[in-house]
């Protein structure tokens, strides 16, 4: 149990670092969305809480892609999460994104953000 708890803490820290930094190796979205979706501009969302990790016995590498609409007023709508991994993690990623506090801009932006982590 102690090992699982330490693993969860380490994973949560990894996710926090990953969520706070833009992802350089984001996969290309589908052709129809490729022209519209962009990575989250650095500094646009000064508050970005990391997803809360779930307790899991699953091991391996997990990859999630989140897409959402960042409105010109800084609000976030239409959060969609794709990926497979520990049960409930996609919901927690969505909740974390809903907690982003973003600055206003000139126009709405379709954002794509990746979340990668490894559990061993």
């Amino acid at each position: 149990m102690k090992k699982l708890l330490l693993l969860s803490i380490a994973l949560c820290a990894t996710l926090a670092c990953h969520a706070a930094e833009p992802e350089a190796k984001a996969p290309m979205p589908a052709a129809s969305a490729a022209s519209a979706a962009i990575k989250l501009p650095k500094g646009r969302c000064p508050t970005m809480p990391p997803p809360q990790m779930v307790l899991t016995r699953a091991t391996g590498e997990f990859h999630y892609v989140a897409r959402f609409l960042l409105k010109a007023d800084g609000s976030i709508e239409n959060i969609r999460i794709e990926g497979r991994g520990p049960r409930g993690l996609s919901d927690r990623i969505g909740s974390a994104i809903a907690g982003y506090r973003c600055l206003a801009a000139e126009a709405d932006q379709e954002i794509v953000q990746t979340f990668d982590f490894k559990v061993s």
Side-chain angles (χ1 to χ4, degrees):
M1 184 66 169
K2 185 176 180 180
K3 184 177 179 181
L4 183 60
L5 181 59
L6 290 174
L7 178 62
S8 296
I9 291 169
L11 224 142
C12 193
T14 301
L15 280 173
C17 291
H18 179 78
E21 297 176 6
E23 180 59 47
K25 58 180 181 176
M28 285 300 294
S32 63
S35 61
I38 63 169
K39 293 180 190 174
L40 186 62
K42 192 169 191 128
R44 176 78 194 276
C45 299
T47 302
M48 296 173 57
Q52 296 296 314
M53 189 55 198
V54 295
L55 289 178
T56 182
R57 292 183 182 189
T59 60
E61 294 182 15
F62 303 99
H63 177 79
Y64 289 87
V65 177
R67 290 180 173 81
F68 55 94
L69 180 63
L70 180 51
K71 304 287 285 181
D73 66 2
S75 64
I76 294 176
E77 294 181 358
N78 199 19
I79 301 168
R80 300 164 318 277
I81 312 294
E82 300 169 2
R84 301 178 85 181
R87 184 183 201 134
L89 187 54
S90 62
D91 291 337
R92 293 192 181 193
I93 291 171
S95 294
I97 292 170
Y100 288 7
R101 297 298 170 248
C102 303
L103 304 174
E106 292 183 20
D108 295 354
Q109 295 175 310
E110 184 69 25
I111 303 295
V112 62
Q113 186 174 11
T114 61
F115 295 82
D116 295 308
F117 57 98
K118 182 177 181 178
V119 180
S120 52

